[in-house]
Amino acid sequence: MIDAQKLQKITTFVFDIDGVMTDGSVHVLETGEHYRTFYIRDGYALERAIQAGYHICVITGGKHEGVRKRLQNLKIQDVFMGSGGKSKLEIYTQWLEDSGISEDEILYMGDDIPDYQVMSRENLYATCPADACEEILGVSQYASPHNGGRGAVRDIIEQVMRAQEKWLVF
């Protein structure tokens, strides 16, 4: 069940890519190039959130140029790709310190073990797609009824914006 009171405080979304913004599939071409598929409705919700003044951050272990271009096209402000040997928790805590954002204003959506340490933090609002791994489902305060790459991002953004009466504002 979603906590409507917590949604009122959210100013910032932090997302993983594979398994959250995509369905986790990696398509490999004959050239060896990898590509991901993004869901257009998730992209629309991300654009609406940015237009409404929400801060968006992406933390992902992957570092594919096509993904970077997609995030640039969506005008996502903070993008951390390829960990450089750091855990997501190290990247997240440094970003949190640098950004000055209060952790109780953050909604994080992850789906797998690399997200666990961040999502276990007490003050942020931890969410996940329906098809997240068991451990992530266990630490999430909300699991979307939608799978990763198939509307989970849209679901959570829309719920926050509706709770704050910003979804249908044009």
Side-chain angles (χ1 to χ4, degrees):
M1 187 75 177
I2 198 130
D3 186 337
Q5 190 172 20
K6 281 197 173 188
L7 296 186
Q8 292 296 324
K9 295 180 182 179
I10 301 302
T11 65
T12 304
F13 296 92
V14 180
F15 295 105
D16 179 27
I17 293 290
D18 293 324
V20 173
M21 286 192 182
T22 75
D23 67 5
S25 297
V26 177
H27 305 277
V28 182
L29 302 175
E30 289 180 13
T31 62
E33 183 180 357
H34 297 180
Y35 73 92
R36 311 291 196 282
T37 302
F38 290 83
Y39 192 54
I40 197 72
R41 289 185 184 168
D42 288 344
Y44 176 74
L46 287 160
E47 288 175 337
R48 289 288 309 275
I50 291 167
Q51 290 167 359
Y54 293 91
H55 196 97
I56 309 289
C57 175
V58 169
I59 303 174
T60 181
K63 53 184 175 180
H64 295 280
E65 193 56 33
V67 171
R68 182 180 309 282
K69 287 179 180 177
R70 173 67 176 151
L71 299 175
Q72 286 172 343
N73 288 342
L74 290 169
K75 297 179 177 48
I76 293 178
Q77 301 98 328
D78 291 323
V79 177
F80 300 92
M81 297 181 70
S83 63
K86 294 182 180 179
S87 70
K88 283 191 175 185
L89 179 60
E90 291 173 289
I91 294 166
Y92 172 79
T93 55
Q94 184 63 58
W95 168 79
L96 190 62
E97 184 179 313
D98 294 345
S99 71
I101 297 168
S102 174
E103 199 166 31
D104 65 351
E105 298 175 26
I106 297 172
L107 182 146
Y108 187 103
M109 182 174 270
D111 74 306
D112 209 347
I113 299 301
D115 302 302
Y116 185 86
Q117 287 182 305
V118 177
M119 293 179 68
S120 297
R121 292 175 66 93
E122 192 173 307
N123 294 323
L124 62 73
Y125 193 57
T127 66
C128 67
D131 58 345
C133 74
E134 180 180 333
E135 293 82 0
I136 296 300
L137 286 164
V139 296
S140 291
Q141 296 163 344
Y142 172 74
S144 173
H146 303 280
N147 287 344
R150 297 302 300 163
V153 170
R154 163 79 177 249
D155 172 50
I156 198 61
I157 290 173
E158 186 175 333
Q159 287 202 51
V160 168
M161 291 181 72
R162 283 185 187 278
Q164 296 179 11
E165 298 181 358
K166 295 181 180 179
W167 181 248
L168 292 178
V169 177
F170 294 98

